[in-house]
Amino acid sequence: AQSVTQLGSHVSVSEGALVLLRCNYSSSVPPYLFWYVQYPNQGLQLLLKYTSAATLVKGINGFEAEFKKSETSFHLTKPSAHMSDAAEYFCAVSDIGQGAQKLVFGQGTRLTINP
Amino acid sequence: GAVVSQHPSWVICKSGTSVKIECRSLDFQATTMFWYRQFPKQSLMLMATSNEGSKATYEQGVEKDKFLINHASLTLSTLTVTSAHPEDSSFYICSAREDTATNEKLFFGSGTQLSVL
């Protein structure tokens, strides 16, 4: 069975500082990996996804994530935080054979940006 | 971009009553939609896969008679929580899969907070 662990339910950084949100996955088959962002009172938006091509994936809003098979990790980073990045972030994994269908989500990390 | 509308965003009901939640794809057709449940500070858990014109596929442990899913058109899926009880209080989120010739994307609704008294 697949699973996702997001380390830290709450991360707080200063505006302009590096953002690092951690995600480790467990999968018996090659995975698809996703990061979603949820702003207050809105649906989940796809930030980026890994689908077995390049291990460094660039997404929207300056975010990127690197797939490290040896560490079973897919951490999300952004060099310089902006106030508008404050939101809930979810890491998710899917079986390659299922594509964008059945997603298993992590518990989420709330990102707070301090002025 | 593609939009999924979920309604209502917030509902309070009495124990024993039924509540219907709607999930609409506004500018695309969605043969497949998904229903998730999220408890506070926990993951989104997939409840069921809703297939247009056929029966929904429920995940293990989800009572199909409790959570009725209807996907009668390519733009609308509904989740009805029947005979709701306080333990059904949760945040319910739907997603719709856009099927195109070259890509496959999931779009999420904004969720429904259900509180059962």
Side-chain angles (χ1 to χ4, degrees), chain B residues 59-95:
Chain B
E59 294 300 301
Q60 190 173 11
V62 178
E63 299 176 61
K64 61 180 181 180
D65 295 329
K66 174 100 178 139
F67 299 99
L68 299 179
I69 291 173
N70 183 278
H71 195 156
S73 77
L74 286 172
T75 60
L76 174 64
S77 175
T78 61
L79 169 68
T80 301
V81 183
T82 62
S83 186
H85 288 90
E87 57 266 29
D88 298 325
S89 298
S90 188
F91 192 62
Y92 294 86
I93 302 177
C94 72
S95 68

Side-chain angles (χ1 to χ4, degrees), chain A residues 20 22-27 31 33 35 50 52-57 64-77:
Chain A
L20 170 61
R22 300 178 186 274
C23 172
N24 288 88
Y25 70 92
S26 173
S27 178
L33 292 159
W35 274 101
Y50 166 76
S52 73
T55 57
L56 181 62
V57 182
E64 63 181 37
E66 186 173 7
F67 172 68
K68 292 187 176 180
K69 184 179 179 179
S70 61
E71 299 178 7
T72 61
S73 69
F74 190 58
H75 302 329
L76 181 71
T77 61

Side-chain angles (χ1 to χ4, degrees), chain B residues 101-114:
Chain B
T102 59
N103 203 354
E104 181 180 276
K105 295 182 180 178
L106 274 178
F107 299 95
F108 286 80
S110 55
T112 298
Q113 181 66 52
L114 170 64

Side-chain angles (χ1 to χ4, degrees), chain B residues 5 10 24-25 28 31-32 36 38 42 50 59 65 67 70 74 79 81 89 95 100 110-111 115 117:
Chain B
S5 174
W10 181 71
R24 293 181 184 273
S25 56
F28 65 97
T31 303
T32 305
Y36 296 85
Q38 184 182 26
Q42 295 189 29
S50 173
E59 294 300 301
D65 295 329
F67 299 99
N70 183 278
L74 286 172
L79 169 68
V81 183
S89 298
S95 68
T100 63
S110 55
S115 297
L117 304 179

